[in-house]
């Protein structure tokens, strides 16, 4: 299937179709907050964004800015052709659990060495994820976990029919 028509970005916007492959990684100074089960799980101005063609950014947070006491290691693992082996975490607050809702690259390949020990979260299972106060919209599908804000335009990979893009 061919991809949908690229949306032209407006002033202050980025198109995911301008992101590179292999993905780029950049530091961000915007404030990232994640809430789950009434607990602020993360609050950071030191996040990293991973930008890959057709994908909304994935946000990786340093462990010092995360309530890691609410992360439980899962046995689930995946392999990224660019970054290496990913390990997953369940997020647990009280009796509430979001299975495999966070992941990290404990030994990323050299190009993505700065991701070591940083943790990314799927925004969908969380109560709220924000970037500089803007509530993040969830990327469709259950694989990629991108964070969509008003300054990002698509179309985005992840919805049914987009795997072939």
């Amino acid at each position: 299937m061919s991809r949908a028509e690229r949306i032209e970005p407006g002033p202050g916007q980025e198109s995911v179709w301008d992101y590179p492959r292999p993905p780029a990684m950049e530091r961000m100074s915007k404030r990232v907050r994640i809430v789950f089960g009434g607990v602020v799980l993360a609050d950071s101005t030191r996040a990293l964004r991973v930008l890959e063609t057709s994908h909304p950014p994935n946000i990786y947070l340093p462990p010092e800015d995360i309530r890691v006491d609410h992360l439980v290691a899962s046995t689930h693992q995946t392999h990224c052709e660019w970054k290496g082996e990913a390990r997953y975490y369940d997020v647990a607050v009280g009796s509430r659990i979001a299975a495999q809702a966070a992941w990290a690259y404990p030994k990323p390949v050299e190009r993505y060495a700065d991701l070591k020990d940083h943790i990314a979260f799927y925004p969908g299972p969380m109560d709220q994820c924000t970037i500089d106060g803007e509530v993040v919209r969830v990327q469709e599908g259950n694989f990629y976990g991108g964070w969509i804000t008003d300054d990002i335009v698509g179309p985005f990979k992840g919805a049914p029919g987009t795997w072939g893009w």
Side-chain angles (χ1 to χ4, degrees):
M1 167 185 230
S2 64
R3 69 178 167 92
E5 189 70 27
R6 175 186 186 269
I7 298 169
E8 192 62 34
Q13 290 185 317
E14 303 170 351
S15 170
V16 297
W17 292 96
D18 295 333
Y19 293 163
R21 191 166 171 87
M25 183 175 55
E26 64 181 33
R27 298 200 178 280
M28 45 186 302
S29 59
K30 292 181 177 184
R31 185 176 187 191
V32 175
R33 285 178 43 99
I34 301 171
V35 177
F36 180 74
V39 171
V40 176
L41 287 179
D43 192 344
S44 182
T45 56
R46 302 178 305 142
L48 298 170
R49 290 193 326 157
V50 173
L51 311 172
E52 181 176 357
T53 306
S54 78
H55 304 282
N58 286 126
I59 308 300
Y60 290 81
L61 305 164
E64 301 81 20
D65 297 345
I66 300 170
R67 292 279 311 270
V68 294
D69 56 315
H70 292 288
L71 300 181
V72 179
S74 165
T75 58
H76 185 64
Q77 299 178 34
T78 58
H79 177 80
C80 171
E81 65 184 306
W82 309 113
K83 297 178 286 296
E85 298 298 321
R87 307 272 191 237
Y88 287 75
Y89 298 91
D90 296 340
V91 178
V93 173
S95 62
R96 200 160 156 216
I97 297 173
Q100 301 170 13
W103 73 95
Y105 291 92
K107 295 179 184 175
V109 298
E110 179 80 22
R111 179 180 183 146
Y112 300 99
D114 287 347
L115 286 180
K116 183 175 175 20
D117 297 326
H118 283 60
I119 300 170
F121 291 79
Y122 286 99
M126 300 298 103
D127 294 339
Q128 187 178 72
C129 296
T130 62
I131 297 178
D132 270 356
E134 180 184 349
V135 176
V136 170
R137 295 181 305 282
V138 177
Q139 180 179 10
E140 282 190 75
N142 62 356
F143 183 75
Y144 297 108
W147 291 39
I148 302 171
T149 53
D150 289 342
D151 57 352
I152 308 294
V153 297
F156 308 112
K157 190 170 184 175
T162 65
W163 279 91
W165 290 359

